[in-house]
């Protein structure tokens, strides 16, 4: 049996119409990260965290962020002679944020303060309670005029690593950046 063939003709006006109907193309360089307030958060050593710096300014210093993804976990299952894959859960990858560092080192101090809520920096080393240090964090994609295109709220997020800062005398004009990885339990599309 022969199946009819359809020739799909690419039409630039159709593509242009779709893009215009959907508000234009998304730009990956227009985003904002809404960081949580740490003030009053119970630290692992029992003291309270202070809010470091202006979180709006920290957001402006963020040079790179990611909107989270989701990977479904599957199992193979036999039904009669047929083997099919059945979803049985999902995994979420960590997200990475990159910040420019100013001479005040505000971004590093902010994430150090947050990490001190997770594990105390001095002996006796103790771990804090997840409910104390996990916070909501929002990553927002913006359009060319600054309106929200897409936003995701990371639920129960917290930093898991803060990269070391390389200092050298080779690159004298390069800006120093801080890389931070965060994990989270889930995300919501806002």
């Amino acid at each position: 049996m022969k199946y009819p063939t359809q020739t799909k003709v690419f039409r630039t006006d159709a593509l242009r119409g779709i893009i215009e109907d959907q508000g234009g193309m998304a730009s990956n360089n227009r985003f904002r990260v809404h960081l949580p307030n740490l003030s009053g958060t119970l630290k692992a050593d029992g003291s309270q965290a202070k809010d470091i710096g202006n979180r709006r300014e920290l957001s402006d210093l963020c040079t790179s962020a990611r909107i989270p993804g989701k990977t479904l976990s599957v199992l193979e299952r036999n039904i009669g002679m047929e083997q099919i894959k059945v979803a049985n859960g999902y995994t979420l990858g960590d997200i990475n944020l990159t910040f420019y560092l100013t001479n005040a080192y505000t971004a590093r101090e902010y994430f150090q303060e947050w990490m001190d809520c997770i594990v105390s920096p001095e002996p006796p080393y103790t771990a804090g309670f997840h409910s104390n240090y996990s916070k909501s964090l929002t990553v927002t994609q913006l359009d060319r005029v600054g309106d929200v295109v897409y936003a995701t709220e990371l639920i129960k997020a917290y930093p898991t690593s803060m990269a070391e800062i390389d200092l050298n005398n080779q690159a004298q004009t390069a800006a120093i950046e801080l890389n931070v990885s965060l994990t989270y339990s889930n995300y919501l599309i806002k």
Side-chain angles (χ1 to χ4, degrees):
M1 172 179 204
K2 282 192 157 187
Y3 295 100
T5 60
Q6 281 187 330
T7 305
K8 184 174 179 178
V9 178
F10 177 76
R11 295 183 5 238
T12 57
D13 58 331
L15 177 61
R16 188 176 19 241
I18 292 168
I19 293 169
E20 287 176 8
D21 289 346
Q22 295 186 12
M25 297 295 287
S27 297
N28 64 350
N29 66 337
R30 300 179 186 276
F31 64 93
R32 180 157 309 282
V33 176
H34 301 273
L35 298 168
N37 184 354
L38 300 179
S39 182
T41 301
L42 191 61
K43 291 175 128 182
D45 65 5
S47 64
Q48 289 196 351
K50 56 185 185 285
D51 202 23
I52 305 288
N54 179 326
R55 286 174 287 131
R56 170 70 184 210
E57 289 175 358
L58 283 176
S59 181
D60 291 341
L61 292 171
C62 187
T63 63
S64 169
R66 283 192 176 159
I67 292 176
K70 186 180 279 191
T71 303
L72 295 179
S73 303
V74 295
L75 292 173
E76 292 190 4
R77 178 175 167 196
N78 290 332
I79 299 179
M81 297 294 289
E82 185 180 5
Q83 191 174 42
I84 64 171
K85 292 183 179 182
V86 180
N88 70 336
Y90 62 88
T91 58
L92 302 167
D94 290 352
I95 68 159
N96 298 313
L97 302 176
T98 303
F99 296 85
Y100 282 134
L101 279 179
T102 64
N103 282 328
Y105 267 61
T106 309
R108 183 167 172 95
E109 286 182 11
Y110 175 87
F111 284 102
Q112 184 64 57
E113 187 77 3
W114 196 353
M115 293 181 96
D116 289 350
C117 295
I118 301 166
V119 175
S120 60
E122 297 176 4
Y125 300 107
T126 56
F129 291 102
H130 185 265
S131 59
N132 290 340
Y133 60 75
S134 60
K135 305 280 185 183
S136 289
L137 174 102
T138 304
V139 178
T140 306
Q141 170 79 42
L142 306 171
D143 65 10
R144 295 189 186 280
V145 295
D147 293 334
V148 174
V149 171
Y150 192 84
T152 55
E153 179 182 359
L154 305 180
I155 307 300
K156 297 180 182 174
Y158 60 92
T160 55
S161 73
M162 181 171 53
E164 60 277 343
I165 297 168
D166 291 326
L167 303 174
N168 66 59
N169 60 5
Q170 301 301 314
Q172 297 174 8
T173 60
I176 297 177
E177 292 183 330
L178 174 70
N179 295 307
V180 180
S181 292
L182 293 102
T183 192
Y184 52 97
S185 66
N186 205 351
Y187 67 87
L188 298 174
I189 299 169
K190 296 178 87 178

